[in-house]
Amino acid sequence: MRLVPGGSAVRRGAHIAHSVVLMPPAYVNVGAFVDEGTMVDSHALVGSCAQIGKRVHLSAAAQIGGVLEPAGARPVVVEMTPSWAASWIVRRHRGPEAGGPGLGVVITGSTVIYDLVNGRELRREVPEGAVVVPGSRPASGDYAKAHGLQLAAPCIVKYRDDKTDAATALEQALR
């Protein structure tokens, strides 16, 4: 593990694998598991008992929830190789392998994720290679309609391809 000086914290009981890089200020809570080759960037948080896979990049301000609240919740699992950029993933969610959310995506265990590619609605799991971006949908009810209110609606806009891989090549080179 490489803990860059400057104010990061790792709670006792967290597992930080060999070759993990923690950039300050990062925080890893009790019971969290962070696997090999992962970078926990500045202002990123790994919650209690969250499971972060190999070669994940938790970008600046990413928030990965834990299981302390509500008690007995299933952990948040982020699998291999996505880049999580200033996203919040909380409560009983399984993240994708080789994909990931874009800037500002918030996903909880009850969030509906709209797969625009395959025309389906998903909960609690993002398919492998999915690229998720923030979206919105109209809120229901007369009041919401009268005021033009919208609700957050994470959307899968594509699945990882050669063009996506080329866009992340620089990050891989820097590791």
Side-chain angles (χ1 to χ4, degrees), residues 1 3 10 20 23 25 34-35 39 43 74 79 90 114 116 144 161 170 174:
M1 172 183 74
L3 177 58
V10 176
V20 168
M23 299 298 288
V34 182
D35 212 341
M39 176 185 280
H43 298 283
R74 294 184 311 178
E79 295 176 325
V90 295
Y114 296 90
L116 304 179
D161 56 18
L170 177 59
L174 293 173

Side-chain angles (χ1 to χ4, degrees), residues 11-15 28-34 46-51:
R11 297 270 314 263
R12 183 177 303 166
H15 171 82
V28 181
N29 207 348
V30 63
F33 178 92
V34 182
V46 179
S48 60
C49 300
Q51 300 172 23

Side-chain angles (χ1 to χ4, degrees), residues 138-150:
S140 61
D142 294 336
Y143 182 82
K145 187 179 280 189
H147 289 87
L149 300 177
Q150 301 281 313

Side-chain angles (χ1 to χ4, degrees), residues 15-91:
H15 171 82
I16 308 295
H18 181 73
S19 72
V20 168
V21 176
L22 295 166
M23 299 298 288
Y27 182 75
V28 181
N29 207 348
V30 63
F33 178 92
V34 182
D35 212 341
E36 296 177 7
T38 290
M39 176 185 280
V40 181
D41 217 331
S42 58
H43 298 283
L45 175 136
V46 179
S48 60
C49 300
Q51 300 172 23
I52 310 300
K54 293 180 183 345
R55 297 178 303 281
V56 172
H57 180 196
L58 297 178
S59 294
Q63 305 288 306
I64 308 300
V67 298
L68 293 179
E69 300 258 342
R74 294 184 311 178
V76 175
V77 178
V78 176
E79 295 176 325
M80 293 171 41
T81 320
S83 180
W84 297 75
S87 302
W88 289 26
I89 313 300
V90 295
R91 290 196 188 142

